[in-house]
Amino acid sequence: MSDQLTNDTERLTPAIEPNSSNGDGRPHDRSVDERLAEKRRRWPALVAGAVIGCAATVGVTTWNDSSDDDPADVVVADVELTTAEVELRDLIEEVEWSGTLAAGAGSTVSAPAAGTITAIAAPGDTIGRGDVIARIDERPVVALIGSTPMWRDLDVGDEGDDVLQLEINLSALGFDPDGDVTVDGVFTSATATMVDAWQASLGLDETGDVGQGDVVVVAGESDVVTTVAVGTSIQAGAELVTLETPSVSLDVIGRADDTDTAEPIDSIAAVGTPVDHGTVLYTSGGVDTVAVIDLTPETTAVLDAIVTGDVEEIESVLAFIGFDPNGDMTIDDDADLATAAAVIRWQESVGLPATGSIDASDYVIVPSDREYAIGEVVAAVGDDLAEGRLVLTLGSPTLALTADVAINEVDEFELGDIVAVEQVDETTFTAIVTEIADTTTTTADGGTPTVLVTFEVVDPPEEFVSGTVTITSESSRIDGATVVPTRALITLREGGFAVEQADADGSTTLVGVELGTFDDGVVEIVSGDLVPGDVVVVPS
């Protein structure tokens, strides 16, 4: 800025007098704030507080001292002065939306086979593990709990997660009372015998195999919302029922190689216990079975080796990663004290209880995409693991969060955006955009069409209230902006703005500035000779 700027604003805005003394013989040896406290700016009360743009209130302004003005028309007011620092701040523009939070995720169950619906669950019914959800041509369709769709027929010799899911469910339903089935995802003759018992309970022929059309898989105990009508002719894959699932279930099973070596259960975590990385789910034979959530590369490598059951491979992996620093282990097929010591070093390094176990059944991998707690305890203390296959289930509440957004505003959202959600009780949590519909909905009153935006709750609150919530998203962000209080602004007669910088010696300097974004009582300085830490004069 030129001297003209200084001269004009001195005439309009009296600055702190740069005298060498205060008129009473005392030198200027006090702080800037002390000196400012004795000074007053005289501002016209009629224009103080004028609005700049549409967002900020100006706390310091000017007036026109033209000779045409009648001095009697100008009312002046004394304003006490203080200082404020120039700061670095992230400026975030937020937009609020109205959303709907529902307890329980909705899902659709498709007919696993074609035929005529001869019976079906009614709206309001609860469907759990082993319940008949419908009958197609009088053949029952049974609900199993899990996450793997029934994508094929299962028979002796098949292996996979779908077989494991079937074995867990039928064992939990009590169809292997003697513990003859090794729940390991391999369909054996013992598995077929268990299937026979299940089929007999349903009044079916005991074939020992399971057809793709015999079962449907649900994420957890669910409430029926809608159904097709009895008598409907349905095709495979068509909508059968819609469900609302309040909680996703994850089964935790205990395995033993054979009944003779099975250890009794010493303790089981209580229902409602939050499940974190390293949480002890149950103890059997003095050995803890723990939850594994944080899958670091070291954890994954060691667990993969443990799953093989090959001691030599486990030792090789532990040595390669560096958990046998002194070379005490002999890489062989013998799990000795040196092996246990290496396992304990690994466990301690990844935050797991130091048990030294190399039994795969002592580690339960829990997905990290949601928070779980102990949902149901199935086995009892004292049961042998070979008999009580399903020990407990983990549950995670499912919350459905959606918002109907006007079509001309939906571009405010992108997949993966993180939003803040406030419930009616003012508790908050975060969610992430997972789906933006590619179709619109028109309101009954013919208003602006809307697009359904779906969110996934990232950190479910301990308590939630179904109904309307406020969703806050970021519209724009400026990271590390240099800002001053809007009250520090001085409008210049020739146009533009300035601030009064307070110098260490008690004097002040007028600094011309170019303004950017206004936000919550501060304004971004786009250009001007100011840096964070500088001190500017503001009305107190």
Side-chain angles (χ1 to χ4, degrees):
M1 283 287 179
S2 66
D3 291 338
Q4 180 62 42
L5 169 63
T6 304
N7 293 335
D8 284 346
T9 50
E10 284 178 343
R11 187 170 61 252
L12 297 171
T13 309
I16 301 172
E17 296 138 357
N19 297 339
S20 60
S21 71
N22 293 297
D24 57 5
R26 291 183 290 115
H28 283 294
D29 57 356
R30 292 159 296 148
S31 70
V32 172
D33 283 344
E34 288 175 328
R35 298 174 194 176
L36 287 171
E38 295 182 355
K39 301 296 181 182
R40 299 289 186 272
R41 276 197 183 132
R42 302 178 68 241
W43 303 114
L46 295 178
V47 294
V51 174
I52 294 181
C54 59
T57 299
V58 177
V60 179
T61 188
T62 66
W63 66 91
N64 191 326
D65 64 344
S66 168
S67 59
D68 293 335
D69 294 334
D70 185 350
D73 294 336
V74 179
V75 180
V76 297
D78 287 344
V79 179
E80 294 185 2
L81 302 178
T82 185
T83 59
E85 280 196 2
V86 179
E87 297 180 332
L88 277 182
R89 183 182 298 187
D90 294 340
L91 302 183
I92 303 170
E93 182 180 354
E94 296 181 329
V95 183
E96 291 186 348
W97 315 85
S98 178
T100 302
L101 181 67
S107 62
T108 299
V109 175
S110 300
T116 300
I117 303 298
T118 52
I120 196 164
D125 286 351
T126 298
I127 299 297
R129 192 192 313 269
D131 289 340
V132 175
I133 199 168
R135 289 180 180 271
I136 301 177
D137 293 341
E138 277 302 292
R139 187 172 182 86
V141 177
V142 180
L144 302 183
I145 290 179
S147 59
T148 304
M150 189 69 176
W151 56 277
R152 60 175 175 169
D153 296 338
L154 297 178
D155 203 348
V156 174
D158 290 330
E159 300 182 17
D161 290 340
D162 49 354
V163 176
L164 177 62
Q165 184 173 262
L166 175 70
E167 291 176 328
I168 291 172
N169 276 270
L170 296 188
S171 177
L173 290 168
F175 293 109
D176 181 33
D178 300 324
D180 296 329
V181 178
T182 300
V183 182
D184 57 1
V186 179
F187 202 124
T188 64
S189 59
T191 307
T193 299
M194 180 169 63
V195 170
D196 283 340
W198 171 60
Q199 291 172 326
S201 74
L202 296 170
L204 300 173
D205 294 338
E206 299 173 28
T207 63
D209 55 32
V210 181
Q212 185 178 352
D214 294 338
V215 302
V216 292
V217 179
V218 296
E221 190 173 90
S222 305
D223 299 322
V224 177
V225 179
T226 63
T227 69
V228 298
V230 172
T232 300
S233 179
I234 198 167
Q235 298 297 314
E239 181 178 303
L240 184 63
V241 300
T242 60
L243 301 175
E244 188 174 78
T245 306
S247 180
V248 171
S249 293
L250 180 66
D251 291 331
V252 176
I253 59 174
R255 292 193 291 260
D257 292 336
D258 58 70
T259 304
D260 295 335
T261 61
E263 295 279 0
I265 298 173
D266 303 324
S267 63
I268 306 176
V271 171
T273 301
V275 177
D276 299 313
H277 182 70
T279 296
V280 177
L281 303 177
Y282 65 89
T283 302
S284 174
V287 179
D288 297 334
T289 293
V290 301
V292 181
I293 298 176
D294 298 332
L295 288 175
T296 64
E298 292 83 358
T299 302
T300 301
V302 175
L303 287 179
D304 286 347
I306 288 176
V307 167
T308 68
D310 187 330
V311 176
E312 186 172 352
E313 182 175 347
I314 296 170
E315 291 172 331
S316 297
V317 171
L318 290 168
F320 177 78
I321 295 177
F323 294 112
D324 181 34
N326 300 322
D328 297 328
M329 276 195 310
T330 301
I331 309 300
D332 55 17
D333 200 30
D334 181 23
D336 53 18
L337 291 177
T339 306
V343 172
I344 288 172
R345 290 189 191 96
W346 160 68
Q347 291 172 324
E348 291 177 340
S349 75
V350 297
L352 296 175
T355 62
S357 172
I358 57 171
D359 188 336
S361 65
D362 295 334
Y363 305 94
V364 177
I365 296 178
V366 178
S368 61
D369 59 342
R370 58 176 64 244
E371 295 182 2
Y372 285 88
I374 305 298
E376 179 186 9
V377 174
V378 180
V381 171
D383 286 351
D384 285 343
L385 286 182
E387 296 176 353
R389 299 297 184 182
L390 179 60
V391 181
L392 52 86
T393 65
L394 308 182
S396 179
T398 56
L399 301 177
L401 177 63
T402 58
D404 289 311
V405 180
I407 190 171
N408 59 330
E409 297 178 335
V410 76
D411 57 358
E412 292 280 354
F413 292 100
E414 292 184 2
L415 295 179
D417 282 354
I418 295 176
V419 300
V421 185
E422 182 177 0
Q423 303 190 91
V424 292
D425 63 359
E426 298 186 351
T427 58
T428 60
F429 57 91
T430 55
I432 186 170
V433 178
T434 56
E435 184 178 355
I436 300 173
D438 54 9
T439 58
T440 60
T441 301
T442 302
T443 58
D445 60 2
T448 303
T450 61
V451 175
L452 184 67
V453 179
T454 303
F455 306 82
E456 179 182 326
V457 176
V458 176
D459 54 343
E462 292 184 3
E463 296 183 0
F464 53 86
V465 183
S466 296
T468 301
V469 294
T470 300
I471 299 171
T472 303
S473 65
E474 286 188 10
S475 179
S476 63
R477 166 187 283 266
I478 302 173
D479 293 326
T482 299
V483 300
V484 299
T486 54
R487 296 178 297 129
L489 295 178
I490 301 171
T491 58
L492 304 176
R493 179 167 34 158
E494 66 270 30
F497 300 90
V499 296
E500 195 170 5
Q501 183 177 355
D503 301 322
D505 62 0
S507 63
T508 62
T509 305
L510 205 62
V511 178
V513 294
E514 182 181 345
L515 307 183
T517 299
F518 288 86
D519 181 49
D520 195 23
V522 299
V523 58
E524 177 191 13
I525 300 301
V526 177
S527 66
D529 192 14
L530 289 176
V531 296
D534 284 349
V535 177
V536 295
V537 179
V538 297
S540 61

